[in-house]
Amino acid sequence: MIEECGRRGKTMVEKRQLFMDMRAQNYDVIRLSTYRTACKLRFVQKRCNLHLVDIWNMIEAFRDNGLNTLDHSTEINVCRLETIISSIYYQLNKRLPTTHQISVDQSISLLLNFVIAAYDSEAHGKLTVFSVKAILATMCGGKILDKLRYTFSQISDSNGIMMYVKFDQFLREVLKLPTAVFEGPSFGYTEHAVRTCFPQQKKISLNMFLDTMMADPPPQCLVWLPLMHRLANVENVFHPVECSYCRSESMMGFRYRCQQCHNYQLCQTCFWRGYASGSHSNQHQMKEHSSWKSPAKKLGHAISKSLGCVPSREPPHPIYPELPEKPLDLAHVVPQQRSLPNMNDAMVSHSVISSGAPTPTKRLQHGLDMANRLADEHDLIAVYVSRLQNGTRFLDSPSRLDEEHRLIARYAARLAAEAGNTQRSTPELAFNFDANKQQRQLIAELENKNREILQEIQRLRLEHEQASQQTPEKAQQNPTLLAELRLLRQRKDELEQRMSALQESRRELMVQLEGLMKLLKAQAAGSPRSSPSHGASRPMPMPVRSTSACSTPTHGPQDSLSGVGGDVQEAFAQGARRNLRNDLLVAADSITNTMSSLVKELHSADEGCEDEVEAEKLQNGKERG
């Protein structure tokens, strides 16, 4: 009881999640109920991944689960329904590539909850076979023509005529889909729904049924069904046209063109929501376009149409025969007593041509006759099995023994024919056996080589992965490599510090040199005839090493001359890029020459001053005397 309550709670949560996701798409703002219903059902179809399942795959799933042998009114429980849905999605994942696999459990849960919500709202826990076929065949992917053909096969009799009772039951089931997405007031089932589709009570064949369902417009109660398929076809259609309302440069999906306003076109979002601008009104007739044609193509088509070169429009669907093909009734066919040839004889006759072999035409006719006989034999077995499944009356009928005797005689004749052919064609069979043996040996060798190649590829892939994963670990486990890296970093730091110190010393020397040159020019201007021998006792300015030499250099060689006078800059700015060592040597030579000239000038100035002082002293002594 607790598990059942928990399962119901989980089902309600997942069901609520599906409808919450659908409500988040904001489909309710679409003003036309037909487009609103089609968009909602298309969302459910894609959310449950049913658009990936073709109608033919769905029919195959019905046959695999035995639904084709059950009556339409047979009820199945939810567990069996879950089994059917699981087989559909597991087979789908087998067909899809590995990069496009779907979540099977999530898809099963979503679809199962939607089916239960739509067809078992009263929680009986059972659904009819016809309900399951109707909803899955309608919501799966594929062409609408194939879906309608399958639907007609379920609601028609053996003569290929539609039964109105069955069609009414189909409408009752399929119109539960709009009701499940809250569009029941617009497309719910009514008692007059059949008359709206087929007003005249006459015999409806397959072609008439397809003409009515695929007409433009289709029946009012099913107008959303072809629209849902058109939505699926135009989801990726691109229109390089600007929307007249939202001004978007292009459109995706449907394109709507006004038949009254000149060159007024709307995207599907604006049209569905009823937007209009300018002189356009929602009452104007709009034409729906599901593709884009260039003006040149339109002009060519118009010219071809005017010249009568355009062929007549093809019908919306091919014309099918009025009466279905009836299967052959082989229940009372007397089995032939002729000996049947062996299958190996046909294989040998096609592979080996001897002098006494029949012509290719006779061999082909012989193979066709043999295939027809085997098909008749299989048909007899199928008819006998179907009669056994119909009920117990056939088991009590006197014809049962006759059928068994016929089958036994048929197989006995076949075995006798195979034994006779074996005795008559022993050399040919031996040759065929040797050929088959050689082929099997060759296949086995190729399989072994393929297996070895796959193993070698797997081994190489594992070695490559291990090598790529262990490279950082090996680097971390090698202390010698780490020590070398550490020494290289230290050497790099030392070189950078030395470079910074040399740059700073160079700049300071240039500044001091500029100061000395200015002082020399000032003294030379003040005493042009001074002796160079005087002034040797004056102190010489010495360069001071900066304490910021350990900092990392952040400027280039040309930046180190910033703040230096023009004379020094002209002396050191001759090359675009020089070597630091050469620049330092040139600077040292320039400083040495400048210092020597400065000392000579100072000596000459001091000797001139001393001569003047002695001359003044002599003059003073003479005046006193």
Side-chain angles (χ1 to χ4, degrees), residues 413-482:
R414 181 178 176 181
L415 292 175
E418 290 179 356
N421 290 329
T422 304
Q423 295 175 359
R424 288 194 304 269
S425 58
T426 303
E428 295 179 356
L429 291 178
F431 177 78
N432 188 22
F433 178 76
D434 294 338
N436 292 336
K437 184 177 180 180
Q438 294 177 359
Q439 292 177 358
R440 286 195 298 270
Q441 291 177 354
L442 180 60
I443 292 172
E445 293 177 359
L446 293 175
E447 288 179 352
N448 292 331
K449 290 182 179 179
N450 187 23
R451 194 178 298 109
E452 292 176 359
I453 292 172
L454 292 176
Q455 291 177 357
E456 184 68 17
I457 292 172
Q458 186 67 20
R459 185 183 63 79
L460 293 175
R461 185 182 291 112
L462 291 176
E463 290 180 357
H464 178 69
E465 291 177 356
Q466 292 176 359
S468 60
Q469 292 177 0
Q470 293 180 0
T471 300
E473 297 178 358
K474 290 181 179 179
Q476 293 178 2
Q477 294 175 0
N478 192 351
T480 306
L481 182 60
L482 292 176

Side-chain angles (χ1 to χ4, degrees), residues 410-582:
R410 188 90 176 203
Y411 276 107
R414 181 178 176 181
L415 292 175
E418 290 179 356
N421 290 329
T422 304
Q423 295 175 359
R424 288 194 304 269
S425 58
T426 303
E428 295 179 356
L429 291 178
F431 177 78
N432 188 22
F433 178 76
D434 294 338
N436 292 336
K437 184 177 180 180
Q438 294 177 359
Q439 292 177 358
R440 286 195 298 270
Q441 291 177 354
L442 180 60
I443 292 172
E445 293 177 359
L446 293 175
E447 288 179 352
N448 292 331
K449 290 182 179 179
N450 187 23
R451 194 178 298 109
E452 292 176 359
I453 292 172
L454 292 176
Q455 291 177 357
E456 184 68 17
I457 292 172
Q458 186 67 20
R459 185 183 63 79
L460 293 175
R461 185 182 291 112
L462 291 176
E463 290 180 357
H464 178 69
E465 291 177 356
Q466 292 176 359
S468 60
Q469 292 177 0
Q470 293 180 0
T471 300
E473 297 178 358
K474 290 181 179 179
Q476 293 178 2
Q477 294 175 0
N478 192 351
T480 306
L481 182 60
L482 292 176
E484 291 179 358
L485 291 174
R486 195 177 297 107
L487 290 174
L488 288 175
R489 291 194 186 96
Q490 292 177 0
R491 181 63 177 168
K492 180 184 176 183
D493 295 339
E494 292 176 357
L495 291 175
E496 289 178 352
Q497 292 175 4
R498 184 170 181 79
M499 177 69 73
S500 177
L502 292 174
Q503 292 286 350
E504 189 67 26
S505 300
R506 179 190 179 194
R507 196 180 71 83
E508 291 176 355
L509 287 173
M510 295 300 104
V511 172
Q512 293 175 5
L513 179 60
E514 182 68 20
L516 291 174
M517 292 180 70
K518 287 181 180 180
L519 181 60
L520 179 62
K521 288 180 180 180
Q523 291 181 359
S527 57
R529 296 177 299 174
S530 59
S531 176
S533 61
H534 187 76
S537 60
R538 291 190 178 183
M540 291 293 298
M542 298 299 294
V544 181
R545 188 176 183 85
S546 175
T547 58
S548 61
C550 297
S551 61
T552 304
T554 58
H555 49 270
Q558 296 298 330
D559 296 338
S560 62
L561 297 177
S562 60
V564 183
D567 298 334
V568 181
Q569 289 185 0
E570 290 177 1
F572 289 94
Q574 294 177 0
R577 184 176 184 89
R578 295 183 176 181
N579 192 2
L580 180 59
R581 182 178 179 181
N582 296 333

Side-chain angles (χ1 to χ4, degrees), residues 325-336:
E325 297 181 1
K326 296 182 180 180
L328 297 177
D329 187 8
L330 303 177
H332 303 288
V333 176
V334 179
Q336 299 179 1

Side-chain angles (χ1 to χ4, degrees), residues 72 128 130 164-174:
H72 286 172
T128 62
F130 191 74
Y164 283 90
V165 178
K166 289 282 188 180
F167 182 68
D168 181 75
Q169 184 181 359
F170 168 73
L171 290 180
R172 190 187 301 271
E173 299 297 336
V174 79

Side-chain angles (χ1 to χ4, degrees), residues 505-506 508-510 512-513 516 540 543 572 584-598:
S505 300
R506 179 190 179 194
E508 291 176 355
L509 287 173
M510 295 300 104
Q512 293 175 5
L513 179 60
L516 291 174
M540 291 293 298
F572 289 94
L584 291 175
L585 292 174
V586 172
D589 294 338
S590 300
I591 291 172
T592 304
N593 295 332
T594 305
M595 292 298 294
S596 61
S597 62
L598 180 60

